[in-house]
Amino acid sequence: KENPSNFLLMHAMGPNVAGVIGSAVSAGVMLSLFSGF
């Protein structure tokens, strides 16, 4: 019972970390664009 839970937990953490990295990259792009103006 513990292995499927851990398996699903790892699959849930993947997109979560990817979303955090994506939001950080998009924030950097927006900051660079606003600093250009």
Side-chain angles (χ1 to χ4, degrees):
K1 292 180 180 179
E2 291 179 356
N3 283 329
S5 179
N6 192 6
F7 188 72
L8 290 173
L9 179 62
M10 293 303 293
H11 272 278
M13 286 297 292
N16 190 8
V17 173
V20 171
I21 294 172
S23 62
V25 171
S26 62
V29 171
M30 289 188 70
L31 283 174
S32 65
L33 287 175
F34 283 128
S35 65
F37 287 112

